[in-house]
Amino acid sequence: MDLRYSSEDEAFRAEIRAWMEGAVAAHGTSPPLDDWPARRAYDTAWQRKLHDAGLAGIAWPRAYGGRGLPISQQLVYLEEYARAGAPYIGVNFVGLMHAGPTLIAEGSDAQRAFHLPRILAGESVWCQGFSEPQAGSDLASLRTRAERRGDAYVVTGQKIWSTRAHVADYCELLVRTDADAPKHGGITWLILDMRLPGVTVRPMRTIDGESHFCEVFLDEVRVPIENRVGAENDGWRVANVTLRFERGTAFAQHIITLRSQVRRLASLAKARRGERGAAVDDRRRRIGRLDASVEALWRMTQMCISEAERTGAPSPLGSAVKLRYSELSQEIAELAVRIVGRPVIGAVEIDGVRTDEVAREYLWSLQATIAAGTSQIQRNLIAQRILGMPKGR
Ligand SMILES: Cc1cc2nc3c(=O)[nH]c(=O)nc-3n(C[C@H](O)[C@H](O)[C@H](O)COP(=O)(O)OP(=O)(O)OC[C@H]3O[C@@H](n4cnc5c(N)ncnc54)[C@H](O)[C@@H]3O)c2cc1C
């Protein structure tokens, strides 16, 4: 791919920059982290504004309501989005980044016609119901069962770690439809309407004091058969399409914001130099290395996005992107804590940055090497699917 931007790309950049300047300021600051109804309203209202400005689903095909923009303009969009400090994708993450793309790749015409416009307009929020108490890394051992009765699957079981399920309308649900088949062969991918009778959602509190995740209990929930995505018992293949989007392209927006986080580190280090002298000066080399690593990761992400555009879904290279992204974001968060020093346990402002926010970001960064498949699992996938090494015992 040619990494240089054309004059049309630059014209598009100017258009987005002008729109973002006004729109970001007008949208105001995000609500308190523990006010989930307000967070949902804030995130979906922003998505609606993007939609109305023709900036929703810029990578999605035009046939499905997206802009179908070329890869170079998708990248320009992400760069400008981060530059403007536009609101985080938030509750729209699953719908826009992997449920929508999975429906585009694997859904029926009726499913696409119903769900895709709603996702793009910020009218429906999705969550993911893959993991279970006994099925995380070994996802294929999931036990939530679905029995076909008439025109519905009757689903009973439990999901865990479902991010933002307490504010979701729909769920990407993996169920076992054939208990006798080999474990990868008896799984089906369903669209679960979270308002159906028998669905109970219980938020869980995490180390940073928030409730990002939920347990989802399913008690004889009747999911209409037309909500199945792909064939019965072919859900493992469909789930892998979802996971390839989740690991390969979904983090692009997060990755580009690492640039501004490294710049913030540099500025913080300068602000702290007067007080902490050489100790902070020594961090300069580390910040320089992080800056170079973020640029290298952004090039890898560009490769992954362009591959996805060519072939319809990201390749196993996505595992390498996800692994590097999660480790870099932890390094950046940890260095920020070191640079701030002791005030990190208080709540003061240094160089326009609140120190309790630095502490919160550090705690939150710990999840990065677990979410969307742990680092160990990504390394296994890289060994097997990119390097062609044999499976370990
Ligand atoms: C922030 C966050 C958001 C999440 N959101 C969702 C969501 O929305 N929906 C959802 O379904 N799930 C979600 N998850 C769950 C996530 O996918 C699982 O936590 C993850 O896959 C690991 O599973 P586990 O927690 O059961 O750990 P386990 O699978 O029990 O792993 C425990 C440890 O053993 C290691 N391990 C396990 N198997 C192997 C192996 N074969 N080789 C080497 N090491 C191994 C792991 O790397 C890990 O260190 C989320 C998790 C986080 C942290």
Short mmCIF file of all heavy atoms in Angstrom, two decimals, residues 93-94 98 126-139 159-165 171-172 174 206 212-214 243 246-247 364 366-380 384 393, ligand 1:
data_model
loop_
_atom_site.label_atom_id
_atom_site.label_comp_id
_atom_site.label_asym_id
_atom_site.label_seq_id
_atom_site.Cartn_x
_atom_site.Cartn_y
_atom_site.Cartn_z
N PHE A 93 -19.02 0.70 20.88
CA PHE A 93 -17.85 -0.05 20.44
C PHE A 93 -18.21 -1.40 19.80
O PHE A 93 -17.82 -1.69 18.66
CB PHE A 93 -16.90 -0.28 21.63
CG PHE A 93 -15.64 -1.01 21.27
CD1 PHE A 93 -14.58 -0.35 20.69
CD2 PHE A 93 -15.52 -2.38 21.50
CE1 PHE A 93 -13.42 -1.02 20.34
CE2 PHE A 93 -14.37 -3.06 21.14
CZ PHE A 93 -13.31 -2.38 20.57
N VAL A 94 -18.97 -2.22 20.51
CA VAL A 94 -19.24 -3.58 19.99
C VAL A 94 -20.04 -3.50 18.69
O VAL A 94 -19.72 -4.16 17.68
CB VAL A 94 -19.96 -4.44 21.05
CG1 VAL A 94 -20.42 -5.77 20.47
CG2 VAL A 94 -19.04 -4.69 22.24
N HIS A 98 -17.41 -4.64 15.87
CA HIS A 98 -17.42 -6.05 15.48
C HIS A 98 -18.77 -6.70 15.24
O HIS A 98 -18.87 -7.60 14.41
CB HIS A 98 -16.50 -6.93 16.33
CG HIS A 98 -16.59 -6.82 17.80
ND1 HIS A 98 -17.45 -7.55 18.55
CD2 HIS A 98 -15.88 -6.08 18.66
CE1 HIS A 98 -17.25 -7.27 19.82
NE2 HIS A 98 -16.31 -6.37 19.93
N TRP A 126 -24.85 -2.61 21.44
CA TRP A 126 -24.59 -4.05 21.49
C TRP A 126 -23.57 -4.39 22.58
O TRP A 126 -22.73 -3.56 22.95
CB TRP A 126 -24.02 -4.52 20.15
CG TRP A 126 -25.06 -4.68 19.07
CD1 TRP A 126 -25.82 -3.69 18.52
CD2 TRP A 126 -25.43 -5.89 18.42
NE1 TRP A 126 -26.64 -4.22 17.56
CE2 TRP A 126 -26.42 -5.56 17.47
CE3 TRP A 126 -25.02 -7.22 18.52
CZ2 TRP A 126 -27.01 -6.52 16.64
CZ3 TRP A 126 -25.60 -8.17 17.69
CH2 TRP A 126 -26.59 -7.84 16.78
N CYS A 127 -23.66 -5.64 23.05
CA CYS A 127 -22.62 -6.17 23.93
C CYS A 127 -22.23 -7.54 23.40
O CYS A 127 -22.82 -8.03 22.42
CB CYS A 127 -23.09 -6.24 25.38
SG CYS A 127 -24.43 -7.40 25.67
N GLN A 128 -21.24 -8.14 24.05
CA GLN A 128 -20.75 -9.44 23.60
C GLN A 128 -20.93 -10.49 24.68
O GLN A 128 -20.46 -10.29 25.80
CB GLN A 128 -19.27 -9.34 23.23
CG GLN A 128 -18.70 -10.62 22.65
CD GLN A 128 -17.21 -10.48 22.36
OE1 GLN A 128 -16.41 -10.26 23.26
NE2 GLN A 128 -16.84 -10.63 21.11
N GLY A 129 -21.60 -11.58 24.36
CA GLY A 129 -21.81 -12.68 25.31
C GLY A 129 -21.08 -13.91 24.83
O GLY A 129 -21.73 -14.88 24.41
N PHE A 130 -19.77 -13.87 24.88
CA PHE A 130 -18.96 -15.04 24.50
C PHE A 130 -18.47 -15.78 25.75
O PHE A 130 -18.76 -16.94 25.94
CB PHE A 130 -17.73 -14.60 23.67
CG PHE A 130 -18.01 -14.31 22.20
CD1 PHE A 130 -19.29 -14.11 21.73
CD2 PHE A 130 -16.96 -14.22 21.29
CE1 PHE A 130 -19.54 -13.84 20.38
CE2 PHE A 130 -17.20 -13.95 19.95
CZ PHE A 130 -18.47 -13.76 19.49
N SER A 131 -17.74 -15.06 26.63
CA SER A 131 -17.08 -15.73 27.77
C SER A 131 -18.09 -16.25 28.79
O SER A 131 -19.17 -15.68 28.96
CB SER A 131 -16.16 -14.74 28.50
OG SER A 131 -15.27 -14.14 27.62
N GLU A 132 -17.67 -17.33 29.46
CA GLU A 132 -18.47 -17.92 30.55
C GLU A 132 -17.52 -18.18 31.72
O GLU A 132 -16.30 -18.18 31.53
CB GLU A 132 -19.12 -19.22 30.08
CG GLU A 132 -20.11 -19.00 28.95
CD GLU A 132 -20.80 -20.29 28.51
OE1 GLU A 132 -20.57 -21.35 29.13
OE2 GLU A 132 -21.60 -20.20 27.56
N PRO A 133 -18.07 -18.46 32.91
CA PRO A 133 -17.18 -18.69 34.05
C PRO A 133 -16.14 -19.79 33.76
O PRO A 133 -15.01 -19.70 34.22
CB PRO A 133 -18.15 -19.11 35.16
CG PRO A 133 -19.43 -18.41 34.81
CD PRO A 133 -19.48 -18.41 33.30
N GLN A 134 -16.48 -20.81 32.97
CA GLN A 134 -15.52 -21.88 32.68
C GLN A 134 -15.03 -21.84 31.24
O GLN A 134 -14.50 -22.83 30.74
CB GLN A 134 -16.16 -23.25 32.95
CG GLN A 134 -16.69 -23.45 34.35
CD GLN A 134 -15.62 -23.23 35.40
OE1 GLN A 134 -14.44 -23.56 35.19
NE2 GLN A 134 -15.99 -22.65 36.53
N ALA A 135 -15.26 -20.73 30.54
CA ALA A 135 -14.85 -20.67 29.13
C ALA A 135 -14.40 -19.25 28.79
O ALA A 135 -15.22 -18.40 28.46
CB ALA A 135 -16.01 -21.09 28.22
N GLY A 136 -13.08 -19.02 28.93
CA GLY A 136 -12.51 -17.72 28.56
C GLY A 136 -11.55 -17.94 27.42
O GLY A 136 -11.93 -17.93 26.24
N SER A 137 -10.28 -18.24 27.77
CA SER A 137 -9.30 -18.55 26.71
C SER A 137 -9.76 -19.76 25.91
O SER A 137 -9.65 -19.80 24.69
CB SER A 137 -7.94 -18.86 27.34
OG SER A 137 -7.50 -17.75 28.08
N ASP A 138 -10.27 -20.74 26.62
CA ASP A 138 -10.78 -21.94 25.93
C ASP A 138 -12.27 -21.73 25.64
O ASP A 138 -13.14 -22.43 26.18
CB ASP A 138 -10.55 -23.16 26.82
CG ASP A 138 -10.94 -24.45 26.12
OD1 ASP A 138 -11.14 -24.41 24.88
OD2 ASP A 138 -11.05 -25.49 26.79
N LEU A 139 -12.53 -20.77 24.77
CA LEU A 139 -13.91 -20.32 24.54
C LEU A 139 -14.82 -21.44 24.02
O LEU A 139 -16.01 -21.50 24.34
CB LEU A 139 -13.87 -19.16 23.53
CG LEU A 139 -15.18 -18.49 23.16
CD1 LEU A 139 -15.87 -17.92 24.39
CD2 LEU A 139 -14.93 -17.37 22.15
N LYS A 159 -23.34 -16.05 31.08
CA LYS A 159 -22.20 -15.37 30.47
C LYS A 159 -21.54 -14.48 31.52
O LYS A 159 -22.18 -14.09 32.50
CB LYS A 159 -22.65 -14.52 29.27
CG LYS A 159 -23.25 -15.35 28.15
CD LYS A 159 -22.19 -16.18 27.45
CE LYS A 159 -22.74 -17.19 26.50
NZ LYS A 159 -21.69 -17.95 25.80
N ILE A 160 -20.26 -14.13 31.29
CA ILE A 160 -19.57 -13.26 32.25
C ILE A 160 -18.63 -12.32 31.48
O ILE A 160 -18.29 -12.60 30.33
CB ILE A 160 -18.79 -14.10 33.29
CG1 ILE A 160 -18.39 -13.25 34.50
CG2 ILE A 160 -17.60 -14.81 32.68
CD1 ILE A 160 -17.92 -14.06 35.70
N TRP A 161 -18.27 -11.22 32.13
CA TRP A 161 -17.38 -10.19 31.56
C TRP A 161 -18.01 -9.50 30.37
O TRP A 161 -17.31 -9.00 29.49
CB TRP A 161 -16.01 -10.74 31.12
CG TRP A 161 -15.30 -11.59 32.11
CD1 TRP A 161 -14.85 -12.85 31.92
CD2 TRP A 161 -14.94 -11.23 33.44
NE1 TRP A 161 -14.23 -13.31 33.06
CE2 TRP A 161 -14.29 -12.33 34.01
CE3 TRP A 161 -15.11 -10.08 34.23
CZ2 TRP A 161 -13.81 -12.34 35.30
CZ3 TRP A 161 -14.63 -10.08 35.52
CH2 TRP A 161 -13.99 -11.20 36.04
N SER A 162 -19.35 -9.50 30.27
CA SER A 162 -19.99 -8.85 29.13
C SER A 162 -19.94 -7.34 29.34
O SER A 162 -20.69 -6.79 30.15
CB SER A 162 -21.44 -9.32 28.99
OG SER A 162 -21.45 -10.70 28.79
N THR A 163 -19.06 -6.69 28.60
CA THR A 163 -18.83 -5.26 28.79
C THR A 163 -20.07 -4.47 28.41
O THR A 163 -20.63 -4.67 27.34
CB THR A 163 -17.62 -4.81 27.94
OG1 THR A 163 -16.53 -5.65 28.23
CG2 THR A 163 -17.25 -3.37 28.21
N ARG A 164 -20.48 -3.58 29.29
CA ARG A 164 -21.62 -2.66 29.10
C ARG A 164 -22.94 -3.38 28.77
O ARG A 164 -23.81 -2.80 28.14
CB ARG A 164 -21.31 -1.64 28.00
CG ARG A 164 -19.99 -0.94 28.20
CD ARG A 164 -19.75 0.15 27.18
NE ARG A 164 -18.37 0.61 27.27
CZ ARG A 164 -17.39 0.22 26.47
NH1 ARG A 164 -17.63 -0.61 25.50
NH2 ARG A 164 -16.17 0.67 26.65
N ALA A 165 -23.08 -4.62 29.22
CA ALA A 165 -24.33 -5.34 28.96
C ALA A 165 -25.50 -4.65 29.64
O ALA A 165 -26.65 -4.77 29.20
CB ALA A 165 -24.21 -6.79 29.45
N CYS A 171 -27.11 -8.50 21.95
CA CYS A 171 -25.89 -9.19 22.38
C CYS A 171 -25.46 -10.20 21.31
O CYS A 171 -26.30 -10.90 20.75
CB CYS A 171 -26.19 -9.91 23.70
SG CYS A 171 -24.86 -10.92 24.34
N GLU A 172 -24.15 -10.24 21.07
CA GLU A 172 -23.58 -11.30 20.22
C GLU A 172 -23.49 -12.53 21.12
O GLU A 172 -22.65 -12.56 22.02
CB GLU A 172 -22.15 -10.96 19.80
CG GLU A 172 -21.93 -9.64 19.11
CD GLU A 172 -20.42 -9.32 18.97
OE1 GLU A 172 -19.63 -9.66 19.87
OE2 GLU A 172 -20.07 -8.72 17.96
N LEU A 174 -23.01 -16.57 21.93
CA LEU A 174 -22.58 -17.90 21.49
C LEU A 174 -23.24 -18.94 22.38
O LEU A 174 -23.18 -18.83 23.61
CB LEU A 174 -21.06 -18.05 21.61
CG LEU A 174 -20.20 -17.32 20.58
CD1 LEU A 174 -18.74 -17.73 20.74
CD2 LEU A 174 -20.66 -17.59 19.15
N THR A 206 -15.23 -3.31 39.56
CA THR A 206 -13.82 -3.64 39.34
C THR A 206 -12.90 -2.77 40.20
O THR A 206 -13.37 -1.85 40.88
CB THR A 206 -13.45 -3.47 37.85
OG1 THR A 206 -13.95 -2.21 37.40
CG2 THR A 206 -14.02 -4.57 37.00
N HIS A 212 -17.84 -1.87 34.63
CA HIS A 212 -17.79 -1.97 33.17
C HIS A 212 -18.45 -3.25 32.69
O HIS A 212 -19.00 -3.32 31.60
CB HIS A 212 -16.34 -2.06 32.65
CG HIS A 212 -15.43 -1.03 33.20
ND1 HIS A 212 -15.28 0.20 32.63
CD2 HIS A 212 -14.61 -1.05 34.28
CE1 HIS A 212 -14.40 0.89 33.31
NE2 HIS A 212 -13.99 0.17 34.33
N PHE A 213 -18.28 -4.31 33.50
CA PHE A 213 -18.68 -5.65 33.04
C PHE A 213 -19.92 -6.13 33.77
O PHE A 213 -20.23 -5.66 34.85
CB PHE A 213 -17.64 -6.70 33.41
CG PHE A 213 -16.26 -6.33 33.20
CD1 PHE A 213 -15.45 -6.00 34.27
CD2 PHE A 213 -15.72 -6.33 31.94
CE1 PHE A 213 -14.13 -5.68 34.07
CE2 PHE A 213 -14.41 -6.01 31.73
CZ PHE A 213 -13.61 -5.68 32.80
N CYS A 214 -20.51 -7.17 33.16
CA CYS A 214 -21.70 -7.74 33.79
C CYS A 214 -21.66 -9.26 33.69
O CYS A 214 -21.04 -9.82 32.78
CB CYS A 214 -22.95 -7.28 33.07
SG CYS A 214 -23.13 -5.50 33.03
N LEU A 243 -14.05 -12.26 16.10
CA LEU A 243 -12.80 -12.06 16.84
C LEU A 243 -11.72 -11.42 15.98
O LEU A 243 -10.90 -10.64 16.45
CB LEU A 243 -12.30 -13.39 17.42
CG LEU A 243 -13.15 -13.96 18.55
CD1 LEU A 243 -12.69 -15.37 18.94
CD2 LEU A 243 -13.11 -13.05 19.79
N GLU A 246 -12.50 -7.91 16.04
CA GLU A 246 -12.26 -7.37 17.39
C GLU A 246 -10.76 -7.17 17.63
O GLU A 246 -10.34 -6.18 18.22
CB GLU A 246 -12.84 -8.34 18.43
CG GLU A 246 -12.78 -7.80 19.84
CD GLU A 246 -13.44 -8.72 20.87
OE1 GLU A 246 -13.95 -9.80 20.49
OE2 GLU A 246 -13.42 -8.37 22.06
N ARG A 247 -9.94 -8.13 17.17
CA ARG A 247 -8.50 -8.02 17.45
C ARG A 247 -7.77 -7.22 16.38
O ARG A 247 -6.75 -6.59 16.67
CB ARG A 247 -7.89 -9.43 17.52
CG ARG A 247 -8.37 -10.17 18.73
CD ARG A 247 -8.05 -11.65 18.69
NE ARG A 247 -8.65 -12.31 19.84
CZ ARG A 247 -8.77 -13.61 19.97
NH1 ARG A 247 -8.35 -14.42 19.00
NH2 ARG A 247 -9.32 -14.12 21.04
N TRP A 364 -6.84 0.86 34.90
CA TRP A 364 -7.64 0.37 33.78
C TRP A 364 -6.76 -0.33 32.74
O TRP A 364 -7.17 -1.32 32.12
CB TRP A 364 -8.44 1.53 33.15
CG TRP A 364 -9.21 1.13 31.94
CD1 TRP A 364 -9.06 1.62 30.68
CD2 TRP A 364 -10.25 0.14 31.85
NE1 TRP A 364 -9.93 1.00 29.82
CE2 TRP A 364 -10.66 0.08 30.51
CE3 TRP A 364 -10.85 -0.73 32.78
CZ2 TRP A 364 -11.67 -0.79 30.06
CZ3 TRP A 364 -11.84 -1.61 32.33
CH2 TRP A 364 -12.24 -1.62 31.00
N LEU A 366 -4.50 -2.33 33.11
CA LEU A 366 -4.18 -3.72 33.45
C LEU A 366 -5.06 -4.71 32.67
O LEU A 366 -4.68 -5.85 32.43
CB LEU A 366 -4.34 -3.96 34.96
CG LEU A 366 -3.47 -3.07 35.87
CD1 LEU A 366 -3.77 -3.35 37.32
CD2 LEU A 366 -1.99 -3.31 35.58
N GLN A 367 -6.26 -4.24 32.27
CA GLN A 367 -7.16 -5.16 31.57
C GLN A 367 -6.74 -5.43 30.13
O GLN A 367 -7.18 -6.39 29.50
CB GLN A 367 -8.61 -4.62 31.60
CG GLN A 367 -8.81 -3.22 31.01
CD GLN A 367 -8.78 -3.16 29.49
OE1 GLN A 367 -9.21 -4.10 28.82
NE2 GLN A 367 -8.27 -2.08 28.95
N ALA A 368 -5.87 -4.54 29.58
CA ALA A 368 -5.62 -4.59 28.13
C ALA A 368 -5.04 -5.93 27.67
O ALA A 368 -5.34 -6.39 26.57
CB ALA A 368 -4.69 -3.44 27.74
N THR A 369 -4.21 -6.54 28.53
CA THR A 369 -3.59 -7.80 28.10
C THR A 369 -4.49 -9.02 28.39
O THR A 369 -4.06 -10.15 28.23
CB THR A 369 -2.22 -7.99 28.81
OG1 THR A 369 -2.37 -7.63 30.19
CG2 THR A 369 -1.16 -7.10 28.19
N ILE A 370 -5.73 -8.76 28.81
CA ILE A 370 -6.69 -9.85 29.04
C ILE A 370 -7.86 -9.75 28.05
O ILE A 370 -8.26 -10.74 27.44
CB ILE A 370 -7.25 -9.81 30.49
CG1 ILE A 370 -6.12 -9.86 31.51
CG2 ILE A 370 -8.21 -10.97 30.73
CD1 ILE A 370 -6.57 -9.61 32.95
N ALA A 371 -8.41 -8.53 27.90
CA ALA A 371 -9.60 -8.35 27.04
C ALA A 371 -9.31 -8.79 25.62
O ALA A 371 -8.18 -8.69 25.15
CB ALA A 371 -9.99 -6.87 27.05
N ALA A 372 -10.35 -9.31 24.95
CA ALA A 372 -10.26 -9.75 23.55
C ALA A 372 -9.22 -10.86 23.35
O ALA A 372 -8.65 -11.01 22.28
CB ALA A 372 -9.96 -8.57 22.62
N GLY A 373 -8.98 -11.64 24.40
CA GLY A 373 -8.01 -12.73 24.33
C GLY A 373 -6.70 -12.31 24.95
O GLY A 373 -6.15 -11.27 24.61
N THR A 374 -6.20 -13.12 25.90
CA THR A 374 -5.01 -12.72 26.66
C THR A 374 -3.75 -12.69 25.78
O THR A 374 -3.74 -13.25 24.68
CB THR A 374 -4.75 -13.69 27.84
OG1 THR A 374 -4.38 -14.96 27.27
CG2 THR A 374 -5.96 -13.86 28.74
N SER A 375 -2.70 -12.09 26.30
CA SER A 375 -1.44 -12.02 25.55
C SER A 375 -0.89 -13.42 25.27
O SER A 375 -0.32 -13.66 24.20
CB SER A 375 -0.41 -11.21 26.33
OG SER A 375 -0.81 -9.87 26.35
N GLN A 376 -1.07 -14.33 26.24
CA GLN A 376 -0.56 -15.69 26.01
C GLN A 376 -1.28 -16.32 24.81
O GLN A 376 -0.68 -16.97 23.97
CB GLN A 376 -0.79 -16.57 27.25
CG GLN A 376 0.09 -16.23 28.44
CD GLN A 376 -0.40 -15.03 29.25
OE1 GLN A 376 -1.45 -14.46 28.95
NE2 GLN A 376 0.37 -14.63 30.24
N ILE A 377 -2.59 -16.08 24.74
CA ILE A 377 -3.37 -16.65 23.64
C ILE A 377 -2.97 -16.00 22.31
O ILE A 377 -2.82 -16.67 21.30
CB ILE A 377 -4.89 -16.48 23.92
CG1 ILE A 377 -5.29 -17.32 25.14
CG2 ILE A 377 -5.74 -16.86 22.70
CD1 ILE A 377 -5.00 -18.80 25.08
N GLN A 378 -2.74 -14.67 22.33
CA GLN A 378 -2.29 -14.00 21.09
C GLN A 378 -0.95 -14.58 20.66
O GLN A 378 -0.71 -14.81 19.47
CB GLN A 378 -2.15 -12.48 21.27
CG GLN A 378 -3.39 -11.76 21.79
CD GLN A 378 -4.66 -12.10 21.04
OE1 GLN A 378 -4.66 -12.35 19.85
NE2 GLN A 378 -5.77 -12.13 21.76
N ARG A 379 -0.06 -14.84 21.64
CA ARG A 379 1.26 -15.40 21.27
C ARG A 379 1.10 -16.80 20.67
O ARG A 379 1.78 -17.15 19.71
CB ARG A 379 2.18 -15.44 22.49
CG ARG A 379 2.67 -14.06 22.88
CD ARG A 379 3.88 -14.11 23.83
NE ARG A 379 4.53 -12.81 23.85
CZ ARG A 379 4.17 -11.80 24.68
NH1 ARG A 379 3.23 -12.00 25.58
NH2 ARG A 379 4.78 -10.64 24.61
N ASN A 380 0.18 -17.59 21.24
CA ASN A 380 -0.08 -18.92 20.65
C ASN A 380 -0.55 -18.77 19.20
O ASN A 380 -0.11 -19.49 18.31
CB ASN A 380 -1.17 -19.66 21.44
CG ASN A 380 -0.66 -20.19 22.78
OD1 ASN A 380 0.54 -20.20 23.03
ND2 ASN A 380 -1.58 -20.64 23.63
N GLN A 384 1.23 -20.11 15.79
CA GLN A 384 0.62 -21.11 14.91
C GLN A 384 0.20 -20.55 13.56
O GLN A 384 0.48 -21.13 12.52
CB GLN A 384 -0.60 -21.73 15.59
CG GLN A 384 -0.26 -22.64 16.76
CD GLN A 384 -1.41 -22.74 17.75
OE1 GLN A 384 -2.57 -22.56 17.40
NE2 GLN A 384 -1.09 -23.02 19.00
N ARG A 393 1.83 -28.96 23.41
CA ARG A 393 1.00 -30.02 24.00
C ARG A 393 0.19 -29.48 25.15
O ARG A 393 0.57 -28.57 25.81
CB ARG A 393 1.89 -31.15 24.47
CG ARG A 393 2.05 -32.17 23.37
CD ARG A 393 2.87 -33.33 23.87
NE ARG A 393 4.04 -33.46 23.01
CZ ARG A 393 5.14 -34.08 23.38
NH1 ARG A 393 5.25 -34.59 24.56
NH2 ARG A 393 6.15 -34.19 22.57
C1 LIG B 1 -11.75 -5.36 29.85
C2 LIG B 1 -12.35 -6.69 29.47
C3 LIG B 1 -13.47 -6.72 28.69
C4 LIG B 1 -14.05 -7.95 28.34
N1 LIG B 1 -15.21 -7.91 27.65
C5 LIG B 1 -15.80 -9.07 27.32
C6 LIG B 1 -17.05 -9.06 26.65
O1 LIG B 1 -17.62 -7.99 26.38
N2 LIG B 1 -17.63 -10.22 26.34
C7 LIG B 1 -17.03 -11.42 26.62
O2 LIG B 1 -17.58 -12.45 26.24
N3 LIG B 1 -15.85 -11.48 27.29
C8 LIG B 1 -15.23 -10.33 27.64
N4 LIG B 1 -14.05 -10.35 28.35
C9 LIG B 1 -13.51 -11.64 28.76
C10 LIG B 1 -12.18 -12.01 28.10
O3 LIG B 1 -12.38 -12.39 26.76
C11 LIG B 1 -11.58 -13.15 28.95
O4 LIG B 1 -11.28 -12.60 30.22
C12 LIG B 1 -10.29 -13.68 28.33
O5 LIG B 1 -10.56 -14.36 27.12
C13 LIG B 1 -9.56 -14.64 29.29
O6 LIG B 1 -10.41 -15.59 29.81
P1 LIG B 1 -10.47 -15.88 31.39
O7 LIG B 1 -10.65 -14.57 32.06
O8 LIG B 1 -11.49 -16.94 31.60
O9 LIG B 1 -9.01 -16.39 31.75
P2 LIG B 1 -8.49 -17.88 31.58
O10 LIG B 1 -8.84 -18.39 30.24
O11 LIG B 1 -8.92 -18.68 32.76
O12 LIG B 1 -6.91 -17.67 31.64
C14 LIG B 1 -6.18 -17.54 32.87
C15 LIG B 1 -4.71 -17.43 32.51
O13 LIG B 1 -4.26 -18.65 31.85
C16 LIG B 1 -3.64 -18.35 30.60
N5 LIG B 1 -3.96 -19.38 29.61
C17 LIG B 1 -5.16 -19.98 29.41
N6 LIG B 1 -5.09 -20.85 28.38
C18 LIG B 1 -3.81 -20.80 27.92
C19 LIG B 1 -3.10 -21.47 26.88
N7 LIG B 1 -3.71 -22.35 26.08
N8 LIG B 1 -1.81 -21.14 26.67
C20 LIG B 1 -1.18 -20.22 27.46
N9 LIG B 1 -1.80 -19.56 28.48
C21 LIG B 1 -3.08 -19.85 28.71
C22 LIG B 1 -4.28 -17.01 30.19
O14 LIG B 1 -3.45 -16.32 29.28
C23 LIG B 1 -4.41 -16.31 31.53
O15 LIG B 1 -3.21 -15.70 31.88
C24 LIG B 1 -13.45 -9.17 28.75
C25 LIG B 1 -12.31 -9.13 29.54
C26 LIG B 1 -11.76 -7.92 29.91
C27 LIG B 1 -10.54 -7.92 30.78
#
